Amino acid sequence: MTDQDKEFMREAIRLSIENVEAGTGGPFGAVIVKDGKIVARGNNQVTSSNDPTAHAEVVAIRNACKELGSFQLDDCTLYTSCEPCPMCLGAIYWARPKKVYYANTKKDAAEIDFDDDFIYKELELPLQERSMPFEQILRDEALEGFKAWTNKDDKIEY
């Protein structure tokens, strides 16, 4: 960790505090850096946008991908004010930054009632034991989309 890493993390933390003061969402901020420069920022906008996916990391990823003109964050580093939740973790892996730094832990978040532990526990359960019912329907029809993808010669793989 360098002094520059600390400065980028301080910006993510500043965004988290600013977000609380502005009342636009929870106490979470994130920045994405490439070549030593911030290319995107994100703050939690769940309550202000009525979007449960508008976590700071997801907002930052969306902004960075738009700015960079890419669906991947090659050679980028993500700085986030808190250890990512399961949804953000999935988005981060799909975006493929080279490294992630975080400040607060998921335990710290749970102590202020942002507890994602139930999601981690749900993921470990078989589908039929999860608290939200999941039922498979129309698989044969849906496979047509997969077949079309498999046969598409000019697809952009990711």
Side-chain angles (χ1 to χ4, degrees):
M1 169 185 36
T2 67
D3 286 342
Q4 193 174 37
D5 291 322
K6 291 178 185 177
E7 287 306 309
F8 293 136
M9 182 57 78
R10 286 186 180 107
E11 176 63 5
I13 294 167
R14 184 192 69 75
L15 289 169
S16 74
I17 295 167
E18 182 180 87
N19 205 47
V20 172
E21 292 170 351
T24 51
F28 306 99
V31 297
I32 296 177
V33 173
K34 184 170 185 169
D35 298 327
K37 294 184 177 10
I38 295 175
V39 295
R41 291 171 170 81
N43 59 302
N44 181 285
Q45 300 172 13
V46 170
T47 57
S48 60
S49 67
N50 293 320
D51 179 353
T53 69
H55 289 201
E57 298 92 336
V58 172
V59 171
I61 289 168
R62 290 172 181 162
N63 292 340
C65 288
K66 184 176 182 179
E67 178 68 25
L68 297 170
S70 175
F71 54 83
Q72 289 186 188
L73 298 177
D74 297 326
D75 300 316
C76 291
T77 302
L78 171 66
Y79 298 82
T80 180
S81 64
C82 188
E83 186 176 358
C85 75
M87 177 187 69
C88 292
L89 191 59
I92 290 166
Y93 272 94
W94 280 115
R96 297 177 178 93
K98 67 180 179 182
K99 188 165 187 174
V100 176
Y101 289 96
Y102 66 94
N104 292 318
T105 66
K106 60 185 179 182
K107 183 176 185 262
D108 296 328
E111 289 174 1
I112 61 165
D113 297 325
F114 287 94
D115 192 357
D116 301 319
D117 194 48
F118 78 96
I119 297 173
Y120 287 106
K121 289 178 180 171
E122 284 281 303
L123 291 173
E124 293 175 5
L125 295 173
L127 285 175
Q128 66 275 13
E129 293 179 26
R130 293 182 185 172
S131 63
M132 183 180 300
F134 280 75
E135 183 177 345
Q136 184 180 28
I137 62 172
L138 300 179
R139 178 176 178 260
D140 291 338
E141 291 180 33
L143 283 173
E144 290 303 315
F146 282 14
K147 289 175 188 172
W149 174 259
T150 300
N151 296 327
K152 185 172 178 60
D153 292 329
D154 62 343
K155 63 186 164 215
I156 298 172
E157 296 193 27
Y158 56 98

